[in-house]
Amino acid sequence: MTPLDVMWVGLGGGLGSLPRWLTRRVIGEHYHGVFPVGTFLINVSGAFAIGYLSVLFKVDWRDRYGTALNAGVLTGVLGGYTTFSSMQLDAVKLAGKSGGTPAASYLLLSVLVGQLAAVLGGTLARAPG
Amino acid sequence: MVNIVVPVFIGGALGAMLREFIMLMVPNLVDNFPLDILVANLVAAFLLGLVTALHRRQIVSEGAEMLVGTGIAGGLSTFSSFVYGVGVLMLASAASAVVASVYVVISLVLSYFAVTVGLKLGGQGSDRLSPM
């Protein structure tokens, strides 16, 4: 790993964090239900993108730096855009408001739909044409 | 607007670089268990809980909460690498599907616990807060 990789990761992480903040804010202004829609959509769309780009550019899932694509886009932008910490804070808040079952359902649904989105992304990237 | 965009960008950049350093420092376990991502997500979850509670008690400003919570913790934690790693392991073999399932459960349970611990630590002493 070189200083250039660190720069790509940092730049990508900063750039990816902005749409995360903006998406959560815009959704928060229009949606007032208990389900954490903002974080859910962010994570699912980020999962789709990592599946699509990894297959398209043949990047192994453990290769996270070395090129501008690995370091800047996959580790940086998508890592900065998606979030595990906010998902967990959402779950703690949801547990406080609605109980443990909705909170656990939200977490499991995020993982399940996120995985489907990643697989769908990879499948689309493999499709001819 | 600038007061939010700048801390979120800088925090996100710092968080993502910190995640990269964690990946370099944390050893890979046998069976491809992604311990590095787990550690990054756990630290971020704790940090977010802590700064959220401190902000609620008005000990830290909104700018600091944006920098540390939305920026650093958000950039440090990742869902995309987490879920993609799970997907790859799930499809690889029956044995690695078991590893992936264990990874999901451990990640979700421990990170939930880490947020709770952060919130508790940050919320402690609120009764001792009294005007000078």
Side-chain angles (χ1 to χ4, degrees):
Chain A
M1 171 142 156
T2 63
L4 194 66
D5 283 313
V6 179
M7 189 208 74
W8 281 125
V9 169
L11 189 64
L15 287 176
S17 295
L18 292 177
R20 169 165 46 80
W21 160 75
L22 195 64
T23 304
R24 279 168 60 95
R25 203 180 102 150
V26 169
I27 289 177
E29 279 166 5
H30 295 94
Y31 169 82
H32 302 287
V34 286
F35 188 79
V37 177
T39 308
F40 181 80
L41 290 179
I42 287 165
N43 282 342
V44 169
S45 56
F48 175 85
I50 201 170
Y52 183 81
L53 293 174
S54 296
V55 171
L56 191 66
F57 295 103
K58 300 183 172 60
V59 182
D60 186 82
W61 71 287
R62 300 219 62 116
D63 279 347
R64 303 229 179 71
Y65 55 88
T67 67
L69 178 79
N70 286 354
V73 180
L74 298 186
T75 301
V77 175
L78 291 181
Y81 173 62
T82 62
T83 174
F84 204 80
S85 52
S86 292
M87 179 176 82
Q88 294 289 351
L89 182 62
D90 287 343
V92 172
K93 285 179 180 168
L94 193 56
K97 268 186 228 153
S98 315
T101 308
S105 307
Y106 162 60
L107 291 176
L108 291 175
L109 195 68
S110 294
V111 174
L112 195 69
V113 178
Q115 261 200 74
L116 289 177
V119 170
L120 180 67
T123 308
L124 281 181
R126 262 184 223 104
Chain B
M1 190 76 170
V2 172
N3 295 339
I4 295 177
V5 168
V6 172
V8 168
F9 182 88
I10 293 177
L14 289 175
M17 289 190 285
L18 192 59
R19 172 158 41 84
E20 194 63 41
F21 292 135
I22 287 176
M23 284 178 183
L24 292 175
M25 285 184 304
V26 174
N28 292 322
L29 292 189
V30 285
D31 303 324
N32 276 327
F33 186 95
L35 186 64
D36 45 5
I37 299 287
L38 175 63
V39 170
N41 282 339
L42 279 181
V43 175
F46 170 76
L47 208 57
L48 181 62
L50 185 67
V51 77
T52 301
L54 290 175
H55 179 56
R56 271 185 205 154
R57 287 168 60 204
Q58 300 184 334
I59 291 178
V60 300
S61 66
E62 189 178 3
E65 199 261 341
M66 280 287 162
L67 178 77
V68 178
T70 306
I72 296 179
L76 174 60
S77 77
T78 173
F79 184 82
S80 51
S81 289
F82 164 77
V83 86
Y84 190 60
V86 170
V88 170
L89 288 174
M90 281 288 183
L91 299 173
S93 69
S96 67
V98 174
V99 172
S101 310
V102 171
Y103 172 53
V104 167
V105 173
I106 288 182
S107 295
L108 293 179
V109 172
L110 287 188
S111 303
Y112 190 92
F113 186 65
V115 171
T116 312
V117 170
L119 284 170
K120 278 241 165 66
L121 269 182
Q124 260 175 15
S126 43
D127 49 337
R128 278 171 295 177
L129 271 188
S130 53
M132 294 293 284

